[in-house]
Every structure is written in structure tokens, then in C-alpha cells.
Amino acid sequence: KFGMTEQEVSALPACNNSKECLYELTDKNRYMELTYLPDKVPDTTEQAGKLAKIDIDMGQYTDEWYQQLQIILGASYHLTHDLTEATKQSFLAGQLNELNSGFEDGQVLLKVVRRSFGNLTLKVVYQNPALAKAFIQQRQVATPSSN
């Protein structure tokens, strides 16, 4: 859960340490990378050193798996930040290495990530409200015409 300390997370049976855990999701073992707030986030009451973000590696990208994940996430969360055609084109042209769809005002993300050796992977990210707010602000700066 968000707000847990590294020590609390390390004590969980599925976690090797405070930064890595392995859980079974969608009938496969999924690697989770955990991020803690390094310091206080401006304009929030978030505390440093608390769990703030969970990145779940959902494996190799395929159109079909991406669509399935969109349906799975869409059944539980409201899509608030969809991909734009300009963003998709920038990704296809190699100008961007990540595509992000945001659910619940950025608290849940579906990411397509181009790895350094060219293949694409999918990630589902859960982040606390402070990081979600930063995601939205970053997105507004990158695409001011979408407002």
C-alpha cells in the first residue's frame, strides 16, 4: 500500500527487498518495481521515504495484449488521459520512448515502453496523488493544445 516504509515492504513474503516484488497477476508472475519518495513533494503532505509508485512489468508488447490491458483497466478505472495521434506518431518516429494512457487523473497509467535494444514492453503503474498531479502537469506542458 502507498505510505508503507521500505522496511514494511521488505517484510512482505512476495518481496525480495524493498524495491522488488513478484506477484502472480493475469496468470503469470509479474515483476514489480517499487519507488519511494526521496524527499518532500511541494504542495502536498506526502512524507519522504514512503511508498509512492508501483511499476508492474506486464511483458512484451502486442496489440492484442495492449487492448486487453486497456479493457481490464477500463473496467475498474476511468480513462482520463488517452493517447493523442501526435503522441503516437512521435513514438512511431522514435522521438519518444514511452506512450502513457492515464486513468483516474494519472493515478493509474498504462505504458508502452521502448527499451534500449528496440523491443516494446508494457507496464501498469500505480502512483500516489502527488505523482499523479506531476504526471498531469508534465502532460499539459508537453501538449498545451490538448486543453
Side-chain angles (χ1 to χ4, degrees):
K1 289 192 310 188
F2 291 135
M4 291 176 78
T5 65
E6 292 189 48
Q7 294 76 18
E8 290 169 328
V9 171
S10 293
L12 297 173
C15 299
N16 295 336
N17 57 48
S18 65
K19 306 271 192 232
E20 300 173 353
C21 298
L22 198 62
Y23 281 93
E24 186 177 315
L25 296 171
T26 62
D27 299 324
K28 289 190 178 178
N29 283 332
R30 301 292 179 189
Y31 173 76
M32 296 186 183
E33 183 181 339
L34 308 175
T35 304
Y36 300 83
L37 286 181
D39 48 28
K40 186 143 174 44
V41 177
D43 303 325
T44 71
T45 58
E46 302 291 338
Q47 295 179 340
K50 302 288 185 171
L51 181 61
K53 185 165 98 171
I54 302 168
D55 284 85
I56 306 169
D57 186 341
M58 299 303 287
Q60 191 77 19
Y61 172 89
T62 66
D63 287 337
E64 181 182 330
W65 184 218
Y66 179 80
Q67 298 300 329
Q68 284 180 331
L69 285 171
Q70 275 197 319
I71 291 166
I72 291 167
L73 291 172
S76 298
Y77 307 107
H78 178 68
L79 180 66
T80 53
H81 297 87
D82 205 357
L83 302 176
T84 65
E85 198 54 43
T87 304
K88 289 180 201 174
Q89 292 305 319
S90 293
F91 182 80
L92 292 172
Q95 298 164 337
L96 295 174
N97 287 323
E98 248 180 45
L99 284 177
N100 297 307
S101 296
F103 298 80
E104 299 297 327
D105 294 322
Q107 290 189 56
V108 180
L109 304 177
L110 176 56
K111 292 183 165 209
V112 179
V113 180
R114 180 181 294 111
R115 297 173 74 179
S116 55
F117 35 90
N119 68 333
L120 302 179
T121 62
L122 288 167
K123 290 184 184 264
V124 173
V125 177
Y126 292 90
Q127 55 190 7
N128 71 7
L131 294 177
K133 181 179 174 185
F135 164 77
I136 292 169
Q137 289 172 339
Q138 175 187 2
R139 207 173 153 101
Q140 288 170 340
V141 168
T143 55
S145 62
S146 65
N147 290 341

